Amino acid sequence: MKLASQRYEQIKETIAEFLEDYDVKKISVDVFELARKMNIKLVFASEILERHPKKVDEYLLFSFPNSYLYYDPETQKFIIYIDDVGTRWKRQRFSLAHELVHIILGHTEQNEENEAEANFGATYLLAPTSLALMHLNNDKLFDAFIVGKIFDVSEPEAQIIVRYNSNRVCYCDLKAKHYEKTINNLFKDSLNHMISKFN
């Protein structure tokens, strides 16, 4: 589902404010640490299967979600389930980022629009595309392989990021918005360090 252009900007701005509030400065973004800082309980499939060995057969027979977000009204805490058995590391990171974005954006129901927002927001949380503005004369952030390595994202995610970066250059949309300046200031040292590894 495609969102309105204005909504994309609102999501990016909200995530920029979140990153600033939590003083996130390191690439790749540690979403597991972020969840802990947000006081979110993480539950992993491996822990469930270890405590309940009889559930292994059920896990193998049925399709379990990559992640699931639940709000416990008793403890007034969010709980996020992550399948760390049947999914790879990069998928786990994206799935957790997706659930965190649901919380960041204040989603209260599951629908197609909220899912599209969380997918877009998760990619932006893991790899803010405005960082390419700091390296327009360097092709590193326009190479999907390198983008994948720098931000610890999957190849399809890296290709989306590179496509966005390339489109922005093609349309000469090169002036950083105020929230992008915030993000770029947070990550500039870490990004420069990561890029230097590929020189």
Side-chain angles (χ1 to χ4, degrees):
M1 172 181 192
K2 194 162 174 59
L3 304 169
S5 297
Q6 184 180 2
R7 186 58 184 147
Y8 286 119
E9 294 305 314
Q10 291 168 342
I11 292 168
K12 291 190 285 187
E13 186 169 3
T14 301
I15 289 172
E17 290 167 359
F18 169 83
L19 291 168
E20 185 176 35
D21 288 347
Y22 281 87
D23 197 32
V24 179
K25 295 181 177 179
K26 188 171 181 299
I27 296 171
S28 66
V29 173
D30 188 341
V31 286
F32 293 91
E33 179 60 26
L34 265 179
R36 284 187 275 280
K37 284 182 179 179
M38 294 170 72
N39 202 23
I40 295 168
K41 181 177 181 182
L42 299 178
V43 176
F44 297 94
S46 59
E47 295 169 350
I48 295 170
L49 296 176
E50 192 175 301
R51 285 195 307 268
H52 306 284
K54 291 181 181 177
K55 292 209 177 261
V56 171
D57 289 341
E58 185 181 339
Y59 176 86
L60 294 172
L61 289 172
F62 300 102
S63 179
F64 280 73
N66 293 326
S67 61
Y68 184 78
L69 173 63
Y70 173 73
Y71 180 75
D72 184 349
E74 281 186 34
T75 62
Q76 297 185 343
K77 272 188 166 184
F78 285 103
I79 299 168
I80 297 176
Y81 161 85
I82 299 289
D83 182 359
D84 62 333
V85 175
T87 58
R88 295 176 188 258
W89 170 250
K90 290 177 183 179
R91 180 65 212 189
Q92 292 171 41
R93 290 185 74 244
F94 181 84
S95 295
L96 179 53
H98 174 98
E99 303 302 351
L100 292 179
V101 170
H102 277 308
I103 296 168
I104 294 165
L105 297 180
H107 292 161
T108 56
E109 59 185 62
Q110 187 174 2
N111 58 45
E112 188 180 359
E113 185 175 348
N114 286 350
E115 288 304 300
E117 289 184 1
N119 282 336
F120 172 77
T123 299
Y124 196 76
L125 177 65
L126 294 172
T129 50
S130 64
L131 296 173
L133 297 176
M134 296 190 303
H135 291 275
L136 289 172
N137 297 325
N138 185 330
D139 64 353
K140 303 293 187 273
L141 294 182
F142 297 88
D143 179 310
F145 175 79
I146 294 173
V147 165
K149 293 288 186 192
I150 288 173
F151 296 103
D152 198 16
V153 295
S154 68
E155 184 180 339
E157 276 181 278
Q159 289 171 350
I160 290 168
I161 293 159
V162 166
R163 189 167 49 249
Y164 183 86
N165 291 345
S166 299
N167 285 343
R168 193 157 182 182
V169 170
C170 285
Y171 295 114
C172 296
D173 181 15
L174 305 178
K175 188 173 182 205
K177 295 164 182 72
H178 71 281
Y179 65 84
E180 292 178 320
K181 290 176 184 174
T182 299
I183 285 180
N184 293 354
N185 284 332
L186 286 170
F187 287 114
K188 68 181 174 189
D189 293 337
S190 181
L191 179 65
N192 290 335
H193 174 72
M194 293 297 286
I195 285 177
S196 71
K197 293 181 178 182
F198 294 93
N199 287 337

